[in-house]
Amino acid sequence: QNRNAILVSNRQKGNPLLKYIRNVRWTFADVVCDFLLSQTSCALYLSLRYHLLHPDYLYYRIRELQKNFKLRVVLCHVDVEDVVKPLLEVTKTAMLHDCTLLCGWSLEECGRYLETIKVYENKPADIIQGQLDSDYLSRLTHSLTTVRHVNKTDVVTLGTNFGSLSNIMGASMEDLARCPGIGERKVKRLFDTFHEPFKRVE
Amino acid sequence: MVLQFHQHIITELLEDTNGGLVILSSGLSLSKLISSLLLLHSTSQGTLLILSPSSASLKSKINFHLKTLNPQFYQIPVEITADLPINHRHSLYSSGSICFITPRILIVDLLTNKLPTSIISGIIILNAHSVTETSTEAFIVRIFRSLNRTAFVRVFSDRPQAMVSGFAKAERTMKCLHIRKMHLWPRFQVYVSQELEMDPPDVVDIRVPMSKYMVGIQKAIVEVMGACLKEMRKTNKVDVEDLTVENGLFKSFDEIVRRQLDPIWHTLGKQTKQLVSDLKTLRKLLDYLVRYDAVTYLKYLDTLRVSESFRSVWIFAEASYKIFDYAKKRVYHLVRSDGMKLDETSKGVKNKKKKVKGDNKDTEEADVTSSTSSNGIVLEEVLEEAPKWKVLRDILEEVEEERQKQGMLREEVLAEGEDTSNGIVLVACKDERSCLQLEECITNSPKKVMQDEWKKYLLNKVQLRDVVHKNKKKKSKEPKGFGILNGVTPISPAQNTETSGVNKQEHDALMAAASKLRNLAENNHVVEDTPQSNLEGHVRGKGKRKLGNRNGPIIIDDSGVQSNNKEDVTSGKMGMSDTKNEAHMDETSPVSAGRFCETEHGGISVDDTVLRRHTCPSAMAKDGKPLPPVHFYALESDQPILDILNPSIIVVYHPDMTFVREIEVYKAENPSKKLKVYFIFYEDSTEVQKFEASIRRENGAFESLIRQKSMMMIPVDQSGHGLGLNFTPDSDLNTAQNSITRKAGGRKEVDKEMQIIVDMREFMSSLPNILHQKGMRIIPVTLEVETMVRYYRIPVLLIEFSQDKSFSFQSASDIGDDVTPNSIISKLSLLALHFPRLRIIWSRSLHATSEIFASLKANQDEPDETKAMRVGVPSEEGIVESDVRAENYNTSAVEFLRRLPGVSDSNYRAILDRCKSLAELALLPVEQLAEIMGGHKAACTLRDFLDAKYPTLL
C-alpha cells in the first residue's frame, strides 16, 4: 500500500476535514482507525458536538483499535461553546485508554495536525529541544530572548551596539544602559544572567 | 522626622487589630510609612512577617528608613527564602522579630505545618494591587486565617490606578485577603495636602520650546497614533471611550486594550493585532523623542525599521514618512559639492554646519562599490542638540553664580566632608542613559556628545559595508561562519529599498563619511574589528573599542573602567543583602549614592571624578564658567536619593509625578531647609500632557475608590471565618491544624480526602491554591521533574488556558498553508510522536483543571509523598538530592547557555561545573572550551558564535 499517504477510513467519507489535508496525499482504505498515519500511529477524529450526542462513541472506537499502535491520537475538534464538561469526559476517556488527546479549534487546525504527524513521521526531536533556525540572527535572538522582556528590537540594539555576543556578555551595566530601549530592569536582568554564577550554591 | 499624615495613617490602621488595606498616592513614601509601622513592633508581640515585594528597591528602601528613623534599631529584617535550611527558618519564625519572607516558602511552610502560626503577630503585604483570588498571597492568608484568627493582616498599595482596573477590584482584593477596612490616602486628602503645602519649596517652572523638527515629529506621531486609534475604533472590539491619544500615552493603555481583546484574540485579524503592537511602538517613539538625542533617535528608528517587520501598518502611514524624514534632518542632510542643496525642504536649520572635508577623495579611494552617480553628493552634519541641554547648563551656571555670591564655595572646599547644606545639585532623569549623557554634556560639551554619537552611528554603517563587501567577494578566510555567511540575509531587503535614486546617493554619502571616520579610527587604534579568540586579545579589544568610539578625552581612565566592571561583578550579589545600606550610612561624602542598587561602589567612583572636576576651580567647564557639584540620578533606579543626598537644589529634567511628590515629602520633613526646584518641560509637548494626565488619572482612581468604599459589601465575619472558601460554609475549625488544611471546607463533590503532591517550584502558580480550595490536601515536596517519562507510567502534559483569554491556540486564518517547524502544532505533533506515552490534558481554566484532577483521581490510590520524593533521585553515593534542584541554579543563565550553538545536552553540565558564569565563558579561549566541552568541533562552533560579528543594519 501507499506508504506516503494517510489512509482514511471509509467512515470518514464526507467529513469536511478531508478538504484541509493538502500537504500530504491521502486515500480511502479499509482501516479500523479513522486515519492511519504510519505503521505505528493512528488517529481517531471526534467532534465535541458529536460527542455530546453520542457520549459512548469514543469509547467504542478506542476499544476497536486494540493494542496495535504505538501512538494513538484522539483528534478532538472543539466546536462547541461550553467546553468544560464534554472536554473533561473526552480527556478522561482518552487518558484511561492510552490515547494522546490533541485539540483543534477549526477543521484547518485538525487537518494540520494530521498532516504534520505524517510529515514528521521520521523527524528528529530537534525543534522541540529548542533549536530553531540556524542563521546567526535567529540563533542570537533565540538565546538573548531567554532573558525576560528582551525582545527582537532589543536584540538588534544590543547587536549593533556591542558588535558580538561575547561583547554583549562582557558589557558593564553602564554600557548596557546606554542602549536605547534597554531600561533599568532589562539591564539588570541581562547583567545578572551573564554575571551571576550558574550555580547559586556551591 | 515622621510625617504627620503617616502618623494619622498608622493610628487609623492600628484601630482595627485584624488589619486593613491602605491605599496611598504614589510618591507619598510607602517605604517610610512601613518603616514607621515596623518600629512599633516589639518582640513580645510575636513574629511579624512581611511578604517580600517583587521590587527589591522597595525592600531596600524600607531597610534604609528603618536605620535612619532609628539608628539604634540595628536589627534589619532577615529575609527568609527557600535557601535557608528548615531549622534555621524555624528559629526565625519563633524569634519574635520582623522577617521578610518569600510567598513561596511561606505557603509551603504553612502547608507542611512548619510554621507555628500561633506566635505570629501578623502579616504585611505590600502589593495589594497585584493580589487576586488565585494568587499565592490569597492562598497564604486563607490558610493563615484558618489557623490564627487574631493576628493582623495589613495590606498596602501605592498604585491606586492599579486598584481600580477590572470590576470591583478593591472589594475582591479585600475579600480574598479577609480584610474589612479600606483606608484611602490620596494626595488631595486634607491632612496630606495641608502638611505638604504648608511650606512648599521654591519652584521654577521652565518651558523649553522644542526644535522645529521635534515639533514636526511629535505632530506626526500623534497623527499616526490617531489614525491607528481610528482604525481600532472601526473594529468595534474595544470600548471607544478608552481609545484616546491621551490614554495612548500610558503603558496601561496596552493593558486596557489587551483586557478587552484577549478573550477574542484568536478571532482578530492580523490587522487589528498589528494595530495593538503599532500603538505600543508609537508610544515609545513619543517617549524617546524627548529623552534621546537626535542621533540616537534616528538610530532607534533605523533599528525599528529593520526589526519591526514590514508588516507594520504605521510605517506606511503618510505621516510616518515625516517621522523618519525629520528625524534624519535633525542629524544630517545632503548637499551637492557645489554647495547647492539637494533637498530644498531642509533649509532653515540654523545650527552650525560642519562639512566633512575631503569627502569625495576618500570616497573614491575607500569605497569601491560606490558608483559614479554618487559623485558630488556630500553629507552635511546638522547634529541638532536637545534644547533642554542648554537650559540645564544655564541653570547650573546660574546656581553656581548664586553660590559664589553667597561665598559658600570657599567654606565648602575647606570643610569637605561635613557640610549639611552641601550645595549639591540633583538632576533627576528618567533613565540611566540620560544621566550618562547629560554628565558628558556637562563635563565635555554638548557638541562633543553629538559628535561621538554620530561617529558611533557611522561606524555601525561602515561595518555593515565591510560585511557585505567581503561576502560578495568570497568567503572570508576566517571561519567566522555565523555572522558573515548567514547574518546578512535580513539586511538585504533594507538595502534593496535604498538602491534607487537619491537613496542610493544618500547611502553612498553615508558610507563615505563612515569609512573615512573608520580609517581615522583605525589609524589610531588598530584593533577595531578583529574578534580574537584568545583571552587577552579580547579584553584589549574591548578597552580599545571604547577609546576608538569616543575618540577624544575620556572621562574615566581605562583602569578605572576596568575596576568598575570588576566591582560590578563582585557586588552584584552584595547589593541584595543589607550591606548596601551600611554603605549609604557610612559614607558621609555627598556622593554616596551610586545609580544602580547593585553598582553602588562602581557608581561612586564615577561620580567622584565628575564631582571633583566640578568643585575643583581649575577643571572648569570648557567655556570657562564654573559649575556646581552635580549628581545625576535615574528615576528608574528608585532609591531614597533625596534622603541620601540631601540636596538643596533639584532639577527635574524629566517630569515625573511620583518624584514630585517625593520632593514635597522631603521638604515637609525638612521644613528648615531652603529648597529650590527647577522643572524643565518641553513646551506643548506630550511630556507635559502625560505629566498632567498622570495626576488626573490618579485623582480619578481615588474618586472611584471612594465611591466603591461607600457601597462596599463586606461580610462581617470576614475576619476569621469563611476560611477563604468564599462560596461554601466551612467545616469545624477546632481540629488539629493539619486536618484543617486538608479539609479546608470540604466541598461536596469530593467524597474522600484527596491528596496531591506538588513540586515546590509550582507554588509560583495558582493551581495549588485552587486545588486546595476544592478541598484537596496539598503536599509540597521537591520533585525531580526532568525525567518524568522515565519514571512514571502515565506522564501527563497539562495545557491550561487562561480564563480571560480565548480558548484556542490560533485562529484558522493564522494557520498558514504549510507545515512549518515553528508552529505550536508542529511542536505538539513531534512531542506526541517522540513520547507516545505522554498524555495531554487540555483545560479551559484553572478551575477546570481542578475538576479534571479530581475526576482523574476518583478511583486511584492516593500518592505517597516519601516515594514521590525518591523518584528520579540517583541513588549512588555522593549525589545528594538537593544538589540538583533548579532553584540552586541561575536558571535564565543555564537556559541561555543551552541555547548557544555547540552546547548540547551532553556537554552543558560540564560547562556549568567548570565555568562560573556566562561572562566568564565569553572570555575562554577555544582550546580551553574544547577541553571543557570534550570536543574541538563543539568548542569552535561556540567560540565562533560568541565572536561572530553582528551584521550592522541598514
Side-chain angles (χ1 to χ4, degrees):
Chain A
Q1 275 188 338
N2 197 338
R3 284 208 166 193
N4 295 322
I6 296 178
L7 301 187
V8 181
S9 157
N10 292 316
R11 244 179 221 277
Q12 295 295 318
K13 272 187 181 147
N15 186 342
L17 170 66
L18 296 172
K19 279 212 297 265
Y20 297 100
I21 307 180
R22 286 177 293 213
N23 287 302
V24 277
R25 280 188 292 147
W26 59 271
T27 166
F28 285 116
D30 192 16
V31 287
V32 65
C33 54
D34 290 340
F35 301 92
L36 183 64
L37 299 165
S38 73
Q39 279 183 319
T40 54
S41 48
C42 69
L44 293 176
Y45 170 79
L46 177 74
S47 131
L48 266 192
R49 192 173 293 160
Y50 188 82
H51 171 80
L52 284 171
L53 298 171
H54 307 275
D56 293 335
Y57 169 78
L58 180 63
Y59 169 73
Y60 288 113
R61 291 302 311 281
I62 295 177
R63 211 174 54 172
E64 270 172 24
L65 292 179
Q66 298 172 324
K67 295 274 175 197
N68 296 330
F69 300 98
K70 212 168 95 188
L71 174 65
R72 314 197 296 175
V73 171
V74 171
L75 182 57
C76 177
H77 182 194
V78 182
D79 52 0
V80 292
E81 277 295 305
D82 203 2
V83 295
V84 176
K85 193 172 158 283
L87 195 55
L88 168 72
E89 290 164 4
V90 172
T91 305
K92 209 174 159 184
T93 312
M95 187 174 294
L96 293 179
H97 300 95
D98 302 321
C99 290
T100 303
L101 178 64
L102 293 173
C103 289
W105 280 261
S106 59
L107 289 168
E108 287 93 327
E109 199 173 356
C110 293
R112 181 54 51 81
Y113 271 116
L114 294 174
E115 289 173 352
T116 313
I117 295 175
K118 180 68 193 167
V119 172
Y120 283 2
E121 204 177 336
N122 299 312
K123 197 175 169 71
D126 290 356
I127 59 166
I128 46 172
Q129 288 169 345
Q131 312 270 299
L132 297 167
D133 298 327
S134 56
D135 74 282
Y136 177 70
L137 265 190
S138 313
R139 298 216 64 160
L140 187 67
T141 308
H142 185 57
S143 52
L144 277 169
T145 47
T146 46
V147 183
R148 269 188 59 193
H149 294 307
V150 169
N151 58 32
K152 265 158 112 188
T153 308
D154 298 332
V155 174
V156 177
T157 305
L158 289 168
T160 31
N161 274 279
F162 294 101
S164 75
L165 180 58
S166 50
N167 284 348
I168 297 174
M169 285 174 162
S172 71
M173 278 196 158
E174 282 191 16
D175 287 340
L176 289 171
R178 277 174 197 272
C179 298
I182 311 280
E184 168 91 3
R185 276 164 48 181
K186 275 185 212 167
V187 168
K188 192 175 149 22
R189 284 207 188 91
L190 282 164
F191 191 82
D192 283 354
T193 302
F194 300 145
H195 293 270
E196 290 268 297
F198 290 123
K199 296 185 172 182
R200 299 203 194 281
V201 194
E202 275 308 325
Chain B
M1 186 196 140
V2 178
L3 291 160
Q4 279 166 20
F5 74 85
H6 275 182
Q7 281 169 340
H8 278 294
I9 298 176
I10 291 173
T11 319
E12 221 184 85
L13 186 62
L14 293 185
E15 272 169 20
D16 193 336
T17 51
N18 260 306
L21 166 65
V22 176
I23 303 172
L24 79 165
S25 280
S26 74
L28 296 187
S29 196
L30 178 61
S31 53
K32 271 181 200 162
L33 175 66
I34 300 294
S35 312
S36 313
L37 184 65
L38 295 183
L39 284 174
L40 301 174
H41 176 83
S42 79
T43 324
S44 60
Q45 292 164 332
T47 307
L48 173 55
L49 299 175
I50 311 170
L51 292 193
S52 302
S54 51
S55 110
S57 71
L58 178 56
K59 193 167 66 193
S60 71
K61 278 199 280 187
I62 291 173
N63 286 336
F64 172 82
H65 293 307
L66 274 177
K67 284 218 158 182
T68 19
L69 284 171
N70 185 357
Q72 285 94 303
F73 192 97
Y74 282 116
Q75 195 198 10
I76 286 295
V78 199
E79 168 132 32
I80 303 178
T81 63
D83 295 340
L84 282 184
I86 175 64
N87 55 339
H88 202 154
R89 298 208 294 270
H90 196 271
S91 66
L92 284 171
Y93 289 143
S94 34
S95 64
S97 53
I98 302 171
C99 306
F100 280 108
I101 181 163
T102 58
R104 190 162 64 111
I105 198 69
L106 178 54
I107 188 63
V108 166
D109 279 352
L110 276 170
L111 286 169
T112 49
N113 296 316
K114 290 191 179 120
L115 176 72
T117 44
S118 56
I119 51 170
I120 300 297
S121 69
I123 295 180
I124 288 181
I125 299 173
L126 301 168
N127 59 335
H129 46 269
S130 51
V131 172
T132 66
E133 286 92 345
T134 56
S135 57
T136 311
E137 286 84 354
F139 195 11
I140 288 170
V141 173
R142 187 168 77 240
I143 305 254
F144 181 72
R145 271 281 172 250
S146 73
L147 302 167
N148 180 339
R149 289 204 223 165
T150 50
F152 62 78
V153 175
R154 298 195 172 119
V155 190
F156 299 84
S157 172
D158 59 355
R159 293 177 47 192
Q161 290 101 302
M163 288 303 297
V164 292
S165 68
F167 174 71
K169 168 90 181 274
E171 187 173 333
R172 286 188 296 141
T173 308
M174 287 167 75
K175 277 193 181 144
C176 70
L177 294 174
H178 301 253
I179 289 170
R180 267 185 299 175
K181 278 224 174 89
M182 174 156 77
H183 310 276
L184 297 174
W185 288 87
R187 166 69 179 76
F188 58 76
Q189 204 271 356
V190 62
Y191 290 135
V192 181
S193 55
Q194 266 175 7
E195 190 173 1
L196 296 186
E197 284 158 23
M198 197 153 61
D199 185 16
D202 286 343
V203 174
V204 184
D205 190 340
I206 301 168
R207 304 284 163 139
V208 186
M210 291 197 282
S211 74
K212 184 179 107 189
Y213 289 135
M214 284 173 84
V215 173
I217 294 172
Q218 174 175 297
K219 197 165 151 251
I221 298 176
V222 170
E223 207 173 293
V224 182
M225 230 168 157
C228 285
L229 287 168
K230 203 170 153 197
E231 281 298 309
M232 197 83 147
R233 262 179 234 129
K234 279 192 207 153
T235 63
N236 273 330
K237 299 273 166 57
V238 180
D239 199 343
V240 182
E241 264 179 50
D242 294 326
L243 294 175
T244 62
V245 172
E246 182 175 304
N247 276 339
L249 298 179
F250 292 92
K251 254 195 192 137
S252 56
F253 180 76
D254 300 342
E255 280 166 46
I256 298 176
V257 173
R258 284 307 295 255
R259 202 175 334 113
Q260 297 181 45
L261 292 183
D262 270 345
I264 48 165
W265 191 249
H266 68 297
T267 64
L268 300 178
K270 274 189 186 141
Q271 178 96 353
T272 316
K273 290 180 187 171
Q274 189 61 49
L275 278 172
V276 175
S277 98
D278 282 355
L279 280 165
K280 199 167 155 187
T281 310
L282 289 167
R283 186 184 60 237
K284 272 195 199 151
L285 283 182
L286 266 185
D287 188 29
Y288 293 164
L289 175 65
V290 290
R291 265 165 57 193
Y292 289 166
D293 62 86
V295 179
T296 309
Y297 195 70
L298 180 62
K299 194 157 128 192
Y300 187 76
L301 280 173
D302 287 348
T303 315
L304 262 188
R305 189 149 50 174
V306 178
S307 65
E308 176 84 353
S309 92
F310 292 85
R311 237 179 288 142
S312 292
V313 188
W314 74 272
I315 281 191
F316 292 112
E318 193 154 327
S320 297
Y321 168 75
K322 283 189 207 150
I323 304 177
F324 287 98
D325 188 43
Y326 291 155
K328 204 182 281 173
K329 284 182 181 151
R330 291 172 76 197
V331 179
Y332 64 85
H333 58 208
L334 302 169
V335 288
R336 294 189 189 287
S337 43
D338 53 23
M340 260 184 50
K341 287 206 176 92
L342 192 76
D343 189 331
E344 316 90 76
T345 53
S346 66
K347 56 195 156 199
V349 187
K350 54 254 138 205
N351 294 47
K352 290 148 268 171
K353 291 168 197 161
K354 208 185 102 193
K355 208 171 159 190
V356 183
K357 291 156 281 169
D359 230 6
N360 287 327
K361 277 172 197 161
D362 278 355
T363 309
E364 249 132 61
E365 282 161 20
D367 192 328
V368 191
T369 53
S370 84
S371 61
T372 39
S373 74
S374 77
N375 268 346
I377 299 301
V378 183
L379 207 64
E380 256 191 6
E381 298 170 16
V382 177
L383 303 187
E384 176 181 296
E385 291 164 19
K388 272 190 185 181
W389 287 0
K390 185 172 179 312
V391 176
L392 176 66
R393 182 165 206 95
D394 290 348
I395 293 175
L396 293 177
E397 280 169 4
E398 181 190 304
V399 166
E400 180 60 16
E401 246 168 60
E402 199 85 339
R403 244 161 56 98
Q404 293 208 347
K405 264 186 217 152
Q406 291 167 10
M408 275 171 60
L409 192 66
R410 182 149 306 161
E411 263 176 55
E412 210 179 78
V413 173
L414 291 173
E416 209 171 305
E418 31 137 344
D419 48 344
T420 43
S421 105
N422 47 38
I424 279 205
V425 179
L426 176 71
V427 178
C429 313
K430 179 121 177 27
D431 53 339
E432 185 63 17
R433 202 197 128 75
S434 311
C435 286
L436 292 164
Q437 195 169 55
L438 284 176
E439 205 171 288
E440 278 168 42
C441 274
I442 300 299
T443 38
N444 288 310
S445 71
K447 202 191 275 172
K448 173 91 182 54
V449 171
M450 290 309 288
Q451 289 286 347
D452 286 349
E453 293 290 351
W454 176 232
K455 274 174 201 157
K456 271 190 250 169
Y457 181 81
L458 286 178
L459 282 174
N460 268 333
K461 298 213 169 209
V462 83
Q463 276 168 9
L464 163 84
R465 212 273 319 271
D466 284 0
V467 170
V468 177
H469 201 62
K470 273 185 203 161
N471 199 33
K472 266 185 201 153
K473 273 185 180 167
K474 216 192 294 167
K475 287 175 194 168
S476 68
K477 303 141 270 173
E478 307 133 288
K480 309 249 171 279
F482 279 104
I484 293 159
L485 294 182
N486 304 323
V488 216
T489 6
I491 303 146
S492 37
Q495 273 195 325
N496 289 340
T497 60
E498 303 224 13
T499 41
S500 63
V502 180
N503 277 339
K504 170 81 173 130
Q505 295 180 335
E506 176 176 347
H507 184 76
D508 290 344
L510 270 171
M511 282 307 159
S515 58
K516 183 188 160 238
L517 200 96
R518 211 268 306 260
N519 291 341
L520 237 159
E522 258 181 357
N523 290 340
N524 293 344
H525 319 282
V526 210
V527 225
E528 196 51 44
D529 58 9
T530 44
Q532 291 286 340
S533 31
N534 75 54
L535 197 134
E536 290 96 9
H538 212 72
V539 170
R540 225 191 301 129
K542 229 185 93 191
K544 287 253 173 101
R545 194 168 60 83
K546 230 172 202 151
L547 288 166
N549 284 352
R550 293 199 176 168
N551 216 9
I554 294 150
I555 311 174
I556 314 149
D557 63 299
D558 219 340
S559 64
V561 174
Q562 297 290 356
S563 69
N564 276 351
N565 287 347
K566 268 177 207 144
E567 289 241 29
D568 287 355
V569 178
T570 46
S571 64
K573 260 250 163 86
M574 261 168 57
M576 306 302 286
S577 72
D578 304 315
T579 45
K580 186 185 134 207
N581 294 291
E582 271 145 36
H584 281 319
M585 299 302 295
D586 296 341
E587 267 149 325
T588 39
S589 108
V591 277
S592 56
R595 290 198 207 83
F596 292 101
C597 308
E598 288 73 25
T599 54
E600 213 76 281
H601 310 283
I604 287 161
S605 59
V606 174
D607 292 333
D608 245 345
T609 33
V610 174
L611 288 172
R612 235 178 281 121
R613 187 170 306 230
H614 287 306
T615 38
C616 169
S618 61
M620 274 170 208
K622 289 210 171 116
D623 59 1
K625 285 210 183 129
L627 295 175
V630 187
H631 184 97
F632 294 94
Y633 164 66
L635 294 168
E636 278 182 346
S637 65
D638 194 21
Q639 288 174 41
I641 187 74
L642 298 170
D643 297 303
I644 297 168
L645 212 59
N646 228 339
S648 37
I649 289 154
I650 302 171
V651 180
V652 184
Y653 190 85
H654 292 137
D656 174 81
M657 177 184 76
T658 305
F659 190 61
V660 171
R661 302 258 176 77
E662 279 167 19
I663 295 174
E664 289 181 319
V665 168
Y666 167 65
K667 175 68 174 112
E669 285 175 317
N670 303 283
S672 59
K673 188 165 188 89
K674 264 194 72 110
L675 180 64
K676 196 163 185 183
V677 183
Y678 294 87
F679 286 99
I680 315 183
F681 281 105
Y682 278 121
E683 199 171 12
D684 297 323
S685 65
T686 49
E687 186 182 55
V688 184
Q689 217 185 334
K690 195 171 167 178
F691 178 75
E692 286 164 355
S694 62
I695 296 173
R696 270 201 305 282
R697 277 155 44 91
E698 202 199 67
N699 289 347
F702 269 112
E703 280 156 19
S704 153
L705 282 169
I706 291 167
R707 258 195 320 278
Q708 285 182 37
K709 189 180 173 183
S710 67
M711 306 186 296
M712 215 171 259
M713 308 272 283
I714 300 286
V716 182
D717 71 342
Q718 188 55 21
S719 57
H721 302 269
L723 261 185
L725 290 174
N726 295 324
F727 334 98
T728 49
D730 70 275
S731 60
D732 184 14
L733 286 168
N734 300 321
T735 36
Q737 288 190 354
N738 194 30
S739 79
I740 292 176
T741 54
R742 267 186 265 161
K743 282 183 183 152
R747 275 187 145 185
K748 285 195 291 283
E749 310 96 90
V750 183
D751 295 321
K752 64 172 181 172
E753 180 192 83
M754 287 186 173
Q755 56 186 43
I756 291 190
I757 296 175
V758 180
D759 184 72
M760 298 277 192
R761 281 156 287 201
E762 278 307 302
F763 280 87
M764 301 298 279
S765 85
S766 300
L767 188 55
N769 182 1
I770 301 302
L771 291 172
H772 179 266
Q773 244 178 36
K774 205 171 155 53
M776 292 184 217
R777 183 183 173 208
I778 304 299
I779 308 167
V781 298
T782 303
L783 298 176
E784 253 301 307
V785 281
E786 285 169 70
T787 48
M788 199 162 78
V789 183
R790 239 192 289 165
Y791 296 97
Y792 294 95
R793 199 171 64 82
I794 310 180
V796 181
L797 169 70
L798 168 64
I799 303 177
E800 183 185 274
F801 289 74
S802 163
Q803 182 87 67
D804 331 314
K805 297 197 177 158
S806 66
F807 183 46
S808 84
F809 277 150
Q810 54 209 322
S811 55
S813 60
D814 284 343
I815 290 174
D817 292 331
D818 306 309
V819 176
T820 53
N822 288 336
S823 92
I824 186 80
I825 296 179
S826 301
K827 288 175 186 169
L828 272 178
S829 301
L830 264 188
L831 196 66
L833 278 165
H834 284 270
F835 302 97
R837 280 200 302 119
L838 182 73
R839 303 288 161 258
I840 303 178
I841 293 179
W842 301 74
S843 169
R844 176 67 191 94
S845 67
L846 267 175
H847 292 277
T849 306
S850 72
E851 302 273 333
I852 295 172
F853 279 16
S855 157
L856 289 176
K857 285 170 62 55
N859 296 308
Q860 307 281 330
D861 292 335
E862 293 302 330
D864 182 66
E865 58 179 290
T866 40
K867 265 193 205 158
M869 277 193 287
R870 265 185 264 121
V871 170
V873 179
S875 52
E876 309 109 74
E877 280 183 35
I879 300 170
V880 196
E881 174 222 344
S882 60
D883 274 353
V884 283
R885 283 187 308 180
E887 57 218 278
N888 292 341
Y889 290 98
N890 177 356
T891 42
S892 87
V894 175
E895 178 70 358
F896 193 110
L897 175 72
R898 294 190 63 176
R899 290 187 179 198
L900 295 176
V903 177
S904 67
D905 285 347
S906 52
N907 63 22
Y908 86 95
R909 280 179 196 277
I911 300 176
L912 297 187
D913 287 339
R914 310 232 343 235
C915 184
K916 206 167 137 265
S917 65
L918 285 169
E920 199 181 287
L921 181 78
L923 300 177
L924 290 179
V926 70
E927 300 77 34
Q928 213 171 325
L929 282 176
E931 196 197 317
I932 294 175
M933 298 166 72
H936 203 74
K937 189 158 171 266
C940 282
T941 315
L942 177 60
R943 192 66 255 173
D944 287 349
F945 185 74
L946 289 171
D947 295 332
K949 201 146 193 52
Y950 186 84
T952 320
L953 301 158
L954 221 126

